[in-house]
Amino acid sequence: MKVDIDALASELEMSFDELNMYLDLETGELTMVSDEEMRLAINSEEGEDYASYSEWEKEAIEAALKIWLNSDRYKLLPKMSSHEAYEIMSDFCNTVKSASIREKLYEALEGKGPFRRFKDTVLHFNIEQDWYAFRSERVKAFAIKWCDENGVPYE
């Protein structure tokens, strides 16, 4: 089984603090589980039916329970740290040909709230296509490095 590296990178780009992504080492399938769903799964009792939950919530809790009970089969994917994300933004600045735009991007990275200001600046100068392509390549490199370090084959 080889993991689709593009799909893996795409999921890493979409990761959120309270959501965790798990890789099924047997099938290559990715499963997203919230902290709350995992907590419910860990604290559940055998045969619990979760009748008070909606259908999609039941399915999510069951997925979390499957991961919990088969922890050797699932690998928790990493989340990119804010430092790593900031570094990608900073590196992107170096690729911008226009000195004035490059300067504005660097200014956006200073002080509190750099992520939002950077995004706003990218949008203002209509360079989001370049930014998203650059970020995607860097996240893909992050995913490849993780796969290599964890012995996960990919294609």
mmCIF file with all atom_site columns, all heavy atoms in Angstrom, residues 5 21 32-33 37 40 47 52-53 58-59 69 74 82 86 88 95-96 109 111 119 121 123-124 136 140 149 152:
data_model
loop_
_atom_site.group_PDB
_atom_site.id
_atom_site.type_symbol
_atom_site.label_atom_id
_atom_site.label_alt_id
_atom_site.label_comp_id
_atom_site.label_asym_id
_atom_site.label_entity_id
_atom_site.label_seq_id
_atom_site.pdbx_PDB_ins_code
_atom_site.Cartn_x
_atom_site.Cartn_y
_atom_site.Cartn_z
_atom_site.occupancy
_atom_site.B_iso_or_equiv
_atom_site.pdbx_formal_charge
_atom_site.auth_seq_id
_atom_site.auth_comp_id
_atom_site.auth_asym_id
_atom_site.auth_atom_id
_atom_site.pdbx_PDB_model_num
ATOM 1   N N   . ILE A 1 5   ? 0.466   10.892 -1.994 1.00 0.00 ? 5   ILE A N   1
ATOM 2   C CA  . ILE A 1 5   ? 1.143   12.007 -1.327 1.00 0.00 ? 5   ILE A CA  1
ATOM 3   C C   . ILE A 1 5   ? 0.414   13.330 -1.551 1.00 0.00 ? 5   ILE A C   1
ATOM 4   O O   . ILE A 1 5   ? 0.391   14.194 -0.668 1.00 0.00 ? 5   ILE A O   1
ATOM 5   C CB  . ILE A 1 5   ? 2.635   12.094 -1.728 1.00 0.00 ? 5   ILE A CB  1
ATOM 6   C CG1 . ILE A 1 5   ? 3.418   12.925 -0.709 1.00 0.00 ? 5   ILE A CG1 1
ATOM 7   C CG2 . ILE A 1 5   ? 2.801   12.619 -3.134 1.00 0.00 ? 5   ILE A CG2 1
ATOM 8   C CD1 . ILE A 1 5   ? 3.523   12.318 0.654  1.00 0.00 ? 5   ILE A CD1 1
ATOM 9   N N   . MET A 1 21  ? -5.995  13.940 11.995 1.00 0.00 ? 21  MET A N   1
ATOM 10  C CA  . MET A 1 21  ? -6.087  13.094 10.824 1.00 0.00 ? 21  MET A CA  1
ATOM 11  C C   . MET A 1 21  ? -5.259  11.848 11.075 1.00 0.00 ? 21  MET A C   1
ATOM 12  O O   . MET A 1 21  ? -4.107  11.942 11.527 1.00 0.00 ? 21  MET A O   1
ATOM 13  C CB  . MET A 1 21  ? -5.557  13.855 9.602  1.00 0.00 ? 21  MET A CB  1
ATOM 14  C CG  . MET A 1 21  ? -5.724  13.121 8.305  1.00 0.00 ? 21  MET A CG  1
ATOM 15  S SD  . MET A 1 21  ? -7.440  12.866 7.807  1.00 0.00 ? 21  MET A SD  1
ATOM 16  C CE  . MET A 1 21  ? -7.974  14.544 7.578  1.00 0.00 ? 21  MET A CE  1
ATOM 17  N N   . MET A 1 32  ? -10.554 11.645 9.510  1.00 0.00 ? 32  MET A N   1
ATOM 18  C CA  . MET A 1 32  ? -10.484 12.810 10.383 1.00 0.00 ? 32  MET A CA  1
ATOM 19  C C   . MET A 1 32  ? -11.361 12.566 11.612 1.00 0.00 ? 32  MET A C   1
ATOM 20  O O   . MET A 1 32  ? -12.504 12.135 11.486 1.00 0.00 ? 32  MET A O   1
ATOM 21  C CB  . MET A 1 32  ? -10.977 14.056 9.648  1.00 0.00 ? 32  MET A CB  1
ATOM 22  C CG  . MET A 1 32  ? -10.752 15.330 10.434 1.00 0.00 ? 32  MET A CG  1
ATOM 23  S SD  . MET A 1 32  ? -11.314 16.819 9.566  1.00 0.00 ? 32  MET A SD  1
ATOM 24  C CE  . MET A 1 32  ? -10.374 16.743 8.067  1.00 0.00 ? 32  MET A CE  1
ATOM 25  N N   . VAL A 1 33  ? -10.796 12.840 12.777 1.00 0.00 ? 33  VAL A N   1
ATOM 26  C CA  . VAL A 1 33  ? -11.491 12.627 14.040 1.00 0.00 ? 33  VAL A CA  1
ATOM 27  C C   . VAL A 1 33  ? -11.247 13.839 14.929 1.00 0.00 ? 33  VAL A C   1
ATOM 28  O O   . VAL A 1 33  ? -10.108 14.272 15.092 1.00 0.00 ? 33  VAL A O   1
ATOM 29  C CB  . VAL A 1 33  ? -10.984 11.337 14.739 1.00 0.00 ? 33  VAL A CB  1
ATOM 30  C CG1 . VAL A 1 33  ? -11.603 11.178 16.104 1.00 0.00 ? 33  VAL A CG1 1
ATOM 31  C CG2 . VAL A 1 33  ? -11.248 10.115 13.877 1.00 0.00 ? 33  VAL A CG2 1
ATOM 32  N N   . GLU A 1 37  ? -14.737 13.537 19.558 1.00 0.00 ? 37  GLU A N   1
ATOM 33  C CA  . GLU A 1 37  ? -15.114 12.189 19.105 1.00 0.00 ? 37  GLU A CA  1
ATOM 34  C C   . GLU A 1 37  ? -14.171 11.139 19.684 1.00 0.00 ? 37  GLU A C   1
ATOM 35  O O   . GLU A 1 37  ? -14.617 10.070 20.116 1.00 0.00 ? 37  GLU A O   1
ATOM 36  C CB  . GLU A 1 37  ? -15.119 12.130 17.573 1.00 0.00 ? 37  GLU A CB  1
ATOM 37  C CG  . GLU A 1 37  ? -16.212 12.982 16.957 1.00 0.00 ? 37  GLU A CG  1
ATOM 38  C CD  . GLU A 1 37  ? -15.934 13.423 15.531 1.00 0.00 ? 37  GLU A CD  1
ATOM 39  O OE1 . GLU A 1 37  ? -14.824 13.182 14.997 1.00 0.00 ? 37  GLU A OE1 1
ATOM 40  O OE2 . GLU A 1 37  ? -16.844 14.042 14.939 1.00 0.00 ? 37  GLU A OE2 1
ATOM 41  N N   . LEU A 1 40  ? -15.003 10.636 23.360 1.00 0.00 ? 40  LEU A N   1
ATOM 42  C CA  . LEU A 1 40  ? -16.195 9.797  23.509 1.00 0.00 ? 40  LEU A CA  1
ATOM 43  C C   . LEU A 1 40  ? -15.867 8.334  23.232 1.00 0.00 ? 40  LEU A C   1
ATOM 44  O O   . LEU A 1 40  ? -16.351 7.436  23.935 1.00 0.00 ? 40  LEU A O   1
ATOM 45  C CB  . LEU A 1 40  ? -17.302 10.277 22.573 1.00 0.00 ? 40  LEU A CB  1
ATOM 46  C CG  . LEU A 1 40  ? -17.973 11.591 22.960 1.00 0.00 ? 40  LEU A CG  1
ATOM 47  C CD1 . LEU A 1 40  ? -18.838 12.122 21.819 1.00 0.00 ? 40  LEU A CD1 1
ATOM 48  C CD2 . LEU A 1 40  ? -18.809 11.411 24.219 1.00 0.00 ? 40  LEU A CD2 1
ATOM 49  N N   . GLY A 1 47  ? -20.610 -1.938 23.084 1.00 0.00 ? 47  GLY A N   1
ATOM 50  C CA  . GLY A 1 47  ? -22.011 -2.030 22.686 1.00 0.00 ? 47  GLY A CA  1
ATOM 51  C C   . GLY A 1 47  ? -22.796 -0.739 22.809 1.00 0.00 ? 47  GLY A C   1
ATOM 52  O O   . GLY A 1 47  ? -23.999 -0.730 22.532 1.00 0.00 ? 47  GLY A O   1
ATOM 53  N N   . SER A 1 52  ? -28.423 9.226  21.353 1.00 0.00 ? 52  SER A N   1
ATOM 54  C CA  . SER A 1 52  ? -28.701 10.661 21.445 1.00 0.00 ? 52  SER A CA  1
ATOM 55  C C   . SER A 1 52  ? -27.954 11.485 20.400 1.00 0.00 ? 52  SER A C   1
ATOM 56  O O   . SER A 1 52  ? -28.154 12.690 20.292 1.00 0.00 ? 52  SER A O   1
ATOM 57  C CB  . SER A 1 52  ? -28.358 11.174 22.847 1.00 0.00 ? 52  SER A CB  1
ATOM 58  O OG  . SER A 1 52  ? -26.978 11.035 23.086 1.00 0.00 ? 52  SER A OG  1
ATOM 59  N N   . TYR A 1 53  ? -27.125 10.837 19.595 1.00 0.00 ? 53  TYR A N   1
ATOM 60  C CA  . TYR A 1 53  ? -26.330 11.550 18.586 1.00 0.00 ? 53  TYR A CA  1
ATOM 61  C C   . TYR A 1 53  ? -26.945 11.385 17.198 1.00 0.00 ? 53  TYR A C   1
ATOM 62  O O   . TYR A 1 53  ? -27.635 10.409 16.916 1.00 0.00 ? 53  TYR A O   1
ATOM 63  C CB  . TYR A 1 53  ? -24.887 11.022 18.572 1.00 0.00 ? 53  TYR A CB  1
ATOM 64  C CG  . TYR A 1 53  ? -24.132 11.344 19.836 1.00 0.00 ? 53  TYR A CG  1
ATOM 65  C CD1 . TYR A 1 53  ? -24.067 10.418 20.875 1.00 0.00 ? 53  TYR A CD1 1
ATOM 66  C CD2 . TYR A 1 53  ? -23.499 12.554 19.995 1.00 0.00 ? 53  TYR A CD2 1
ATOM 67  C CE1 . TYR A 1 53  ? -23.377 10.705 22.042 1.00 0.00 ? 53  TYR A CE1 1
ATOM 68  C CE2 . TYR A 1 53  ? -22.807 12.848 21.156 1.00 0.00 ? 53  TYR A CE2 1
ATOM 69  C CZ  . TYR A 1 53  ? -22.756 11.923 22.175 1.00 0.00 ? 53  TYR A CZ  1
ATOM 70  O OH  . TYR A 1 53  ? -22.073 12.205 23.327 1.00 0.00 ? 53  TYR A OH  1
ATOM 71  N N   . LYS A 1 58  ? -22.631 9.606  15.106 1.00 0.00 ? 58  LYS A N   1
ATOM 72  C CA  . LYS A 1 58  ? -22.414 8.194  15.447 1.00 0.00 ? 58  LYS A CA  1
ATOM 73  C C   . LYS A 1 58  ? -21.300 7.599  14.589 1.00 0.00 ? 58  LYS A C   1
ATOM 74  O O   . LYS A 1 58  ? -20.436 6.889  15.093 1.00 0.00 ? 58  LYS A O   1
ATOM 75  C CB  . LYS A 1 58  ? -23.701 7.391  15.226 1.00 0.00 ? 58  LYS A CB  1
ATOM 76  C CG  . LYS A 1 58  ? -24.777 7.639  16.228 1.00 0.00 ? 58  LYS A CG  1
ATOM 77  C CD  . LYS A 1 58  ? -25.983 6.783  15.880 1.00 0.00 ? 58  LYS A CD  1
ATOM 78  C CE  . LYS A 1 58  ? -27.228 7.313  16.514 1.00 0.00 ? 58  LYS A CE  1
ATOM 79  N NZ  . LYS A 1 58  ? -28.430 6.569  16.120 1.00 0.00 ? 58  LYS A NZ  1
ATOM 80  N N   . GLU A 1 59  ? -21.339 7.903  13.292 1.00 0.00 ? 59  GLU A N   1
ATOM 81  C CA  . GLU A 1 59  ? -20.322 7.381  12.378 1.00 0.00 ? 59  GLU A CA  1
ATOM 82  C C   . GLU A 1 59  ? -18.933 7.898  12.746 1.00 0.00 ? 59  GLU A C   1
ATOM 83  O O   . GLU A 1 59  ? -17.953 7.149  12.701 1.00 0.00 ? 59  GLU A O   1
ATOM 84  C CB  . GLU A 1 59  ? -20.663 7.757  10.938 1.00 0.00 ? 59  GLU A CB  1
ATOM 85  C CG  . GLU A 1 59  ? -21.861 7.012  10.392 1.00 0.00 ? 59  GLU A CG  1
ATOM 86  C CD  . GLU A 1 59  ? -22.285 7.501  9.010  1.00 0.00 ? 59  GLU A CD  1
ATOM 87  O OE1 . GLU A 1 59  ? -21.525 8.267  8.372  1.00 0.00 ? 59  GLU A OE1 1
ATOM 88  O OE2 . GLU A 1 59  ? -23.380 7.111  8.570  1.00 0.00 ? 59  GLU A OE2 1
ATOM 89  N N   . LEU A 1 69  ? -9.142  1.354  19.044 1.00 0.00 ? 69  LEU A N   1
ATOM 90  C CA  . LEU A 1 69  ? -8.992  -0.084 19.282 1.00 0.00 ? 69  LEU A CA  1
ATOM 91  C C   . LEU A 1 69  ? -7.942  -0.737 18.384 1.00 0.00 ? 69  LEU A C   1
ATOM 92  O O   . LEU A 1 69  ? -7.533  -1.875 18.633 1.00 0.00 ? 69  LEU A O   1
ATOM 93  C CB  . LEU A 1 69  ? -10.342 -0.786 19.096 1.00 0.00 ? 69  LEU A CB  1
ATOM 94  C CG  . LEU A 1 69  ? -11.419 -0.398 20.106 1.00 0.00 ? 69  LEU A CG  1
ATOM 95  C CD1 . LEU A 1 69  ? -12.748 -1.049 19.744 1.00 0.00 ? 69  LEU A CD1 1
ATOM 96  C CD2 . LEU A 1 69  ? -10.991 -0.751 21.525 1.00 0.00 ? 69  LEU A CD2 1
ATOM 97  N N   . TYR A 1 74  ? -3.184  2.526  12.765 1.00 0.00 ? 74  TYR A N   1
ATOM 98  C CA  . TYR A 1 74  ? -3.383  3.938  12.409 1.00 0.00 ? 74  TYR A CA  1
ATOM 99  C C   . TYR A 1 74  ? -2.227  4.794  12.895 1.00 0.00 ? 74  TYR A C   1
ATOM 100 O O   . TYR A 1 74  ? -1.696  4.596  13.984 1.00 0.00 ? 74  TYR A O   1
ATOM 101 C CB  . TYR A 1 74  ? -4.688  4.461  13.014 1.00 0.00 ? 74  TYR A CB  1
ATOM 102 C CG  . TYR A 1 74  ? -5.901  3.839  12.368 1.00 0.00 ? 74  TYR A CG  1
ATOM 103 C CD1 . TYR A 1 74  ? -6.435  2.666  12.861 1.00 0.00 ? 74  TYR A CD1 1
ATOM 104 C CD2 . TYR A 1 74  ? -6.489  4.418  11.251 1.00 0.00 ? 74  TYR A CD2 1
ATOM 105 C CE1 . TYR A 1 74  ? -7.542  2.080  12.268 1.00 0.00 ? 74  TYR A CE1 1
ATOM 106 C CE2 . TYR A 1 74  ? -7.587  3.843  10.649 1.00 0.00 ? 74  TYR A CE2 1
ATOM 107 C CZ  . TYR A 1 74  ? -8.115  2.669  11.167 1.00 0.00 ? 74  TYR A CZ  1
ATOM 108 O OH  . TYR A 1 74  ? -9.209  2.093  10.567 1.00 0.00 ? 74  TYR A OH  1
ATOM 109 N N   . SER A 1 82  ? 2.898   26.609 14.002 1.00 0.00 ? 82  SER A N   1
ATOM 110 C CA  . SER A 1 82  ? 2.757   27.997 13.545 1.00 0.00 ? 82  SER A CA  1
ATOM 111 C C   . SER A 1 82  ? 4.118   28.537 13.100 1.00 0.00 ? 82  SER A C   1
ATOM 112 O O   . SER A 1 82  ? 4.196   29.332 12.163 1.00 0.00 ? 82  SER A O   1
ATOM 113 C CB  . SER A 1 82  ? 2.140   28.876 14.625 1.00 0.00 ? 82  SER A CB  1
ATOM 114 O OG  . SER A 1 82  ? 2.903   28.847 15.798 1.00 0.00 ? 82  SER A OG  1
ATOM 115 N N   . TYR A 1 86  ? 4.736   30.036 9.471  1.00 0.00 ? 86  TYR A N   1
ATOM 116 C CA  . TYR A 1 86  ? 5.310   31.381 9.355  1.00 0.00 ? 86  TYR A CA  1
ATOM 117 C C   . TYR A 1 86  ? 6.534   31.350 8.443  1.00 0.00 ? 86  TYR A C   1
ATOM 118 O O   . TYR A 1 86  ? 6.735   32.229 7.607  1.00 0.00 ? 86  TYR A O   1
ATOM 119 C CB  . TYR A 1 86  ? 5.688   31.899 10.745 1.00 0.00 ? 86  TYR A CB  1
ATOM 120 C CG  . TYR A 1 86  ? 6.240   33.301 10.746 1.00 0.00 ? 86  TYR A CG  1
ATOM 121 C CD1 . TYR A 1 86  ? 5.398   34.385 10.918 1.00 0.00 ? 86  TYR A CD1 1
ATOM 122 C CD2 . TYR A 1 86  ? 7.598   33.531 10.574 1.00 0.00 ? 86  TYR A CD2 1
ATOM 123 C CE1 . TYR A 1 86  ? 5.901   35.687 10.919 1.00 0.00 ? 86  TYR A CE1 1
ATOM 124 C CE2 . TYR A 1 86  ? 8.113   34.819 10.567 1.00 0.00 ? 86  TYR A CE2 1
ATOM 125 C CZ  . TYR A 1 86  ? 7.252   35.891 10.746 1.00 0.00 ? 86  TYR A CZ  1
ATOM 126 O OH  . TYR A 1 86  ? 7.750   37.169 10.733 1.00 0.00 ? 86  TYR A OH  1
ATOM 127 N N   . ILE A 1 88  ? 7.127   29.333 5.993  1.00 0.00 ? 88  ILE A N   1
ATOM 128 C CA  . ILE A 1 88  ? 6.684   29.198 4.602  1.00 0.00 ? 88  ILE A CA  1
ATOM 129 C C   . ILE A 1 88  ? 6.283   30.561 4.050  1.00 0.00 ? 88  ILE A C   1
ATOM 130 O O   . ILE A 1 88  ? 6.639   30.911 2.921  1.00 0.00 ? 88  ILE A O   1
ATOM 131 C CB  . ILE A 1 88  ? 5.525   28.178 4.491  1.00 0.00 ? 88  ILE A CB  1
ATOM 132 C CG1 . ILE A 1 88  ? 6.036   26.771 4.781  1.00 0.00 ? 88  ILE A CG1 1
ATOM 133 C CG2 . ILE A 1 88  ? 4.889   28.238 3.094  1.00 0.00 ? 88  ILE A CG2 1
ATOM 134 C CD1 . ILE A 1 88  ? 4.943   25.722 4.887  1.00 0.00 ? 88  ILE A CD1 1
ATOM 135 N N   . THR A 1 95  ? 10.386  34.925 -2.973 1.00 0.00 ? 95  THR A N   1
ATOM 136 C CA  . THR A 1 95  ? 10.140  34.545 -4.368 1.00 0.00 ? 95  THR A CA  1
ATOM 137 C C   . THR A 1 95  ? 9.435   35.643 -5.163 1.00 0.00 ? 95  THR A C   1
ATOM 138 O O   . THR A 1 95  ? 9.349   35.543 -6.380 1.00 0.00 ? 95  THR A O   1
ATOM 139 C CB  . THR A 1 95  ? 9.279   33.273 -4.452 1.00 0.00 ? 95  THR A CB  1
ATOM 140 O OG1 . THR A 1 95  ? 7.946   33.559 -4.015 1.00 0.00 ? 95  THR A OG1 1
ATOM 141 C CG2 . THR A 1 95  ? 9.884   32.136 -3.637 1.00 0.00 ? 95  THR A CG2 1
ATOM 142 N N   . VAL A 1 96  ? 8.925   36.655 -4.453 1.00 0.00 ? 96  VAL A N   1
ATOM 143 C CA  . VAL A 1 96  ? 8.168   37.723 -5.125 1.00 0.00 ? 96  VAL A CA  1
ATOM 144 C C   . VAL A 1 96  ? 9.148   38.664 -5.825 1.00 0.00 ? 96  VAL A C   1
ATOM 145 O O   . VAL A 1 96  ? 10.050  39.218 -5.200 1.00 0.00 ? 96  VAL A O   1
ATOM 146 C CB  . VAL A 1 96  ? 7.278   38.477 -4.111 1.00 0.00 ? 96  VAL A CB  1
ATOM 147 C CG1 . VAL A 1 96  ? 6.578   39.647 -4.769 1.00 0.00 ? 96  VAL A CG1 1
ATOM 148 C CG2 . VAL A 1 96  ? 6.276   37.516 -3.490 1.00 0.00 ? 96  VAL A CG2 1
ATOM 149 N N   . LEU A 1 109 ? 4.174   40.474 8.016  1.00 0.00 ? 109 LEU A N   1
ATOM 150 C CA  . LEU A 1 109 ? 4.620   39.413 8.926  1.00 0.00 ? 109 LEU A CA  1
ATOM 151 C C   . LEU A 1 109 ? 5.107   39.944 10.274 1.00 0.00 ? 109 LEU A C   1
ATOM 152 O O   . LEU A 1 109 ? 5.372   39.160 11.179 1.00 0.00 ? 109 LEU A O   1
ATOM 153 C CB  . LEU A 1 109 ? 5.737   38.598 8.266  1.00 0.00 ? 109 LEU A CB  1
ATOM 154 C CG  . LEU A 1 109 ? 5.312   37.756 7.067  1.00 0.00 ? 109 LEU A CG  1
ATOM 155 C CD1 . LEU A 1 109 ? 6.527   37.067 6.456  1.00 0.00 ? 109 LEU A CD1 1
ATOM 156 C CD2 . LEU A 1 109 ? 4.261   36.741 7.463  1.00 0.00 ? 109 LEU A CD2 1
ATOM 157 N N   . GLY A 1 111 ? 4.846   41.850 13.925 1.00 0.00 ? 111 GLY A N   1
ATOM 158 C CA  . GLY A 1 111 ? 3.888   42.143 14.987 1.00 0.00 ? 111 GLY A CA  1
ATOM 159 C C   . GLY A 1 111 ? 2.829   41.068 15.164 1.00 0.00 ? 111 GLY A C   1
ATOM 160 O O   . GLY A 1 111 ? 2.959   39.940 14.691 1.00 0.00 ? 111 GLY A O   1
ATOM 161 N N   . LYS A 1 119 ? -2.242  37.107 4.598  1.00 0.00 ? 119 LYS A N   1
ATOM 162 C CA  . LYS A 1 119 ? -3.280  36.670 3.664  1.00 0.00 ? 119 LYS A CA  1
ATOM 163 C C   . LYS A 1 119 ? -3.952  37.874 3.002  1.00 0.00 ? 119 LYS A C   1
ATOM 164 O O   . LYS A 1 119 ? -4.176  37.876 1.790  1.00 0.00 ? 119 LYS A O   1
ATOM 165 C CB  . LYS A 1 119 ? -4.323  35.816 4.385  1.00 0.00 ? 119 LYS A CB  1
ATOM 166 C CG  . LYS A 1 119 ? -5.396  35.283 3.476  1.00 0.00 ? 119 LYS A CG  1
ATOM 167 C CD  . LYS A 1 119 ? -6.397  34.434 4.236  1.00 0.00 ? 119 LYS A CD  1
ATOM 168 C CE  . LYS A 1 119 ? -7.492  33.953 3.317  1.00 0.00 ? 119 LYS A CE  1
ATOM 169 N NZ  . LYS A 1 119 ? -8.533  33.224 4.023  1.00 0.00 ? 119 LYS A NZ  1
ATOM 170 N N   . THR A 1 121 ? -2.696  40.794 2.492  1.00 0.00 ? 121 THR A N   1
ATOM 171 C CA  . THR A 1 121 ? -1.735  41.419 1.577  1.00 0.00 ? 121 THR A CA  1
ATOM 172 C C   . THR A 1 121 ? -1.624  40.617 0.287  1.00 0.00 ? 121 THR A C   1
ATOM 173 O O   . THR A 1 121 ? -1.595  41.197 -0.810 1.00 0.00 ? 121 THR A O   1
ATOM 174 C CB  . THR A 1 121 ? -0.354  41.563 2.255  1.00 0.00 ? 121 THR A CB  1
ATOM 175 O OG1 . THR A 1 121 ? -0.515  42.284 3.485  1.00 0.00 ? 121 THR A OG1 1
ATOM 176 C CG2 . THR A 1 121 ? 0.628   42.296 1.367  1.00 0.00 ? 121 THR A CG2 1
ATOM 177 N N   . LEU A 1 123 ? -3.950  38.801 -1.018 1.00 0.00 ? 123 LEU A N   1
ATOM 178 C CA  . LEU A 1 123 ? -5.188  39.065 -1.762 1.00 0.00 ? 123 LEU A CA  1
ATOM 179 C C   . LEU A 1 123 ? -5.176  40.461 -2.380 1.00 0.00 ? 123 LEU A C   1
ATOM 180 O O   . LEU A 1 123 ? -5.593  40.643 -3.527 1.00 0.00 ? 123 LEU A O   1
ATOM 181 C CB  . LEU A 1 123 ? -6.407  38.894 -0.849 1.00 0.00 ? 123 LEU A CB  1
ATOM 182 C CG  . LEU A 1 123 ? -6.687  37.460 -0.376 1.00 0.00 ? 123 LEU A CG  1
ATOM 183 C CD1 . LEU A 1 123 ? -7.784  37.458 0.676  1.00 0.00 ? 123 LEU A CD1 1
ATOM 184 C CD2 . LEU A 1 123 ? -7.051  36.565 -1.546 1.00 0.00 ? 123 LEU A CD2 1
ATOM 185 N N   . HIS A 1 124 ? -4.705  41.427 -1.624 1.00 0.00 ? 124 HIS A N   1
ATOM 186 C CA  . HIS A 1 124 ? -4.666  42.809 -2.107 1.00 0.00 ? 124 HIS A CA  1
ATOM 187 C C   . HIS A 1 124 ? -3.847  42.931 -3.396 1.00 0.00 ? 124 HIS A C   1
ATOM 188 O O   . HIS A 1 124 ? -4.229  43.652 -4.323 1.00 0.00 ? 124 HIS A O   1
ATOM 189 C CB  . HIS A 1 124 ? -4.101  43.736 -1.026 1.00 0.00 ? 124 HIS A CB  1
ATOM 190 C CG  . HIS A 1 124 ? -3.909  45.139 -1.480 1.00 0.00 ? 124 HIS A CG  1
ATOM 191 N ND1 . HIS A 1 124 ? -4.961  46.019 -1.612 1.00 0.00 ? 124 HIS A ND1 1
ATOM 192 C CD2 . HIS A 1 124 ? -2.791  45.810 -1.863 1.00 0.00 ? 124 HIS A CD2 1
ATOM 193 C CE1 . HIS A 1 124 ? -4.498  47.186 -2.051 1.00 0.00 ? 124 HIS A CE1 1
ATOM 194 N NE2 . HIS A 1 124 ? -3.183  47.080 -2.204 1.00 0.00 ? 124 HIS A NE2 1
ATOM 195 N N   . SER A 1 136 ? 1.417   24.916 -1.288 1.00 0.00 ? 136 SER A N   1
ATOM 196 C CA  . SER A 1 136 ? 1.119   23.509 -1.571 1.00 0.00 ? 136 SER A CA  1
ATOM 197 C C   . SER A 1 136 ? 2.391   22.695 -1.769 1.00 0.00 ? 136 SER A C   1
ATOM 198 O O   . SER A 1 136 ? 2.507   21.560 -1.278 1.00 0.00 ? 136 SER A O   1
ATOM 199 C CB  . SER A 1 136 ? 0.230   23.387 -2.809 1.00 0.00 ? 136 SER A CB  1
ATOM 200 O OG  . SER A 1 136 ? -1.056  23.869 -2.521 1.00 0.00 ? 136 SER A OG  1
ATOM 201 N N   . LYS A 1 140 ? 3.618   19.712 0.631  1.00 0.00 ? 140 LYS A N   1
ATOM 202 C CA  . LYS A 1 140 ? 3.907   18.399 0.044  1.00 0.00 ? 140 LYS A CA  1
ATOM 203 C C   . LYS A 1 140 ? 5.291   17.928 0.480  1.00 0.00 ? 140 LYS A C   1
ATOM 204 O O   . LYS A 1 140 ? 5.472   16.754 0.836  1.00 0.00 ? 140 LYS A O   1
ATOM 205 C CB  . LYS A 1 140 ? 3.816   18.471 -1.477 1.00 0.00 ? 140 LYS A CB  1
ATOM 206 C CG  . LYS A 1 140 ? 3.991   17.137 -2.158 1.00 0.00 ? 140 LYS A CG  1
ATOM 207 C CD  . LYS A 1 140 ? 3.784   17.256 -3.659 1.00 0.00 ? 140 LYS A CD  1
ATOM 208 C CE  . LYS A 1 140 ? 3.956   15.929 -4.353 1.00 0.00 ? 140 LYS A CE  1
ATOM 209 N NZ  . LYS A 1 140 ? 3.701   16.064 -5.805 1.00 0.00 ? 140 LYS A NZ  1
ATOM 210 N N   . GLU A 1 149 ? 10.375  9.712  7.261  1.00 0.00 ? 149 GLU A N   1
ATOM 211 C CA  . GLU A 1 149 ? 10.777  9.524  8.667  1.00 0.00 ? 149 GLU A CA  1
ATOM 212 C C   . GLU A 1 149 ? 9.981   8.410  9.343  1.00 0.00 ? 149 GLU A C   1
ATOM 213 O O   . GLU A 1 149 ? 10.453  7.824  10.317 1.00 0.00 ? 149 GLU A O   1
ATOM 214 C CB  . GLU A 1 149 ? 10.579  10.819 9.444  1.00 0.00 ? 149 GLU A CB  1
ATOM 215 C CG  . GLU A 1 149 ? 11.586  11.905 9.080  1.00 0.00 ? 149 GLU A CG  1
ATOM 216 C CD  . GLU A 1 149 ? 11.289  13.247 9.732  1.00 0.00 ? 149 GLU A CD  1
ATOM 217 O OE1 . GLU A 1 149 ? 10.192  13.408 10.326 1.00 0.00 ? 149 GLU A OE1 1
ATOM 218 O OE2 . GLU A 1 149 ? 12.142  14.133 9.638  1.00 0.00 ? 149 GLU A OE2 1
ATOM 219 N N   . VAL A 1 152 ? 6.607   5.302  5.737  1.00 0.00 ? 152 VAL A N   1
ATOM 220 C CA  . VAL A 1 152 ? 5.323   5.176  5.036  1.00 0.00 ? 152 VAL A CA  1
ATOM 221 C C   . VAL A 1 152 ? 5.589   5.350  3.543  1.00 0.00 ? 152 VAL A C   1
ATOM 222 O O   . VAL A 1 152 ? 6.011   6.433  3.107  1.00 0.00 ? 152 VAL A O   1
ATOM 223 C CB  . VAL A 1 152 ? 4.315   6.241  5.537  1.00 0.00 ? 152 VAL A CB  1
ATOM 224 C CG1 . VAL A 1 152 ? 3.035   6.199  4.726  1.00 0.00 ? 152 VAL A CG1 1
ATOM 225 C CG2 . VAL A 1 152 ? 4.028   6.055  7.033  1.00 0.00 ? 152 VAL A CG2 1
#
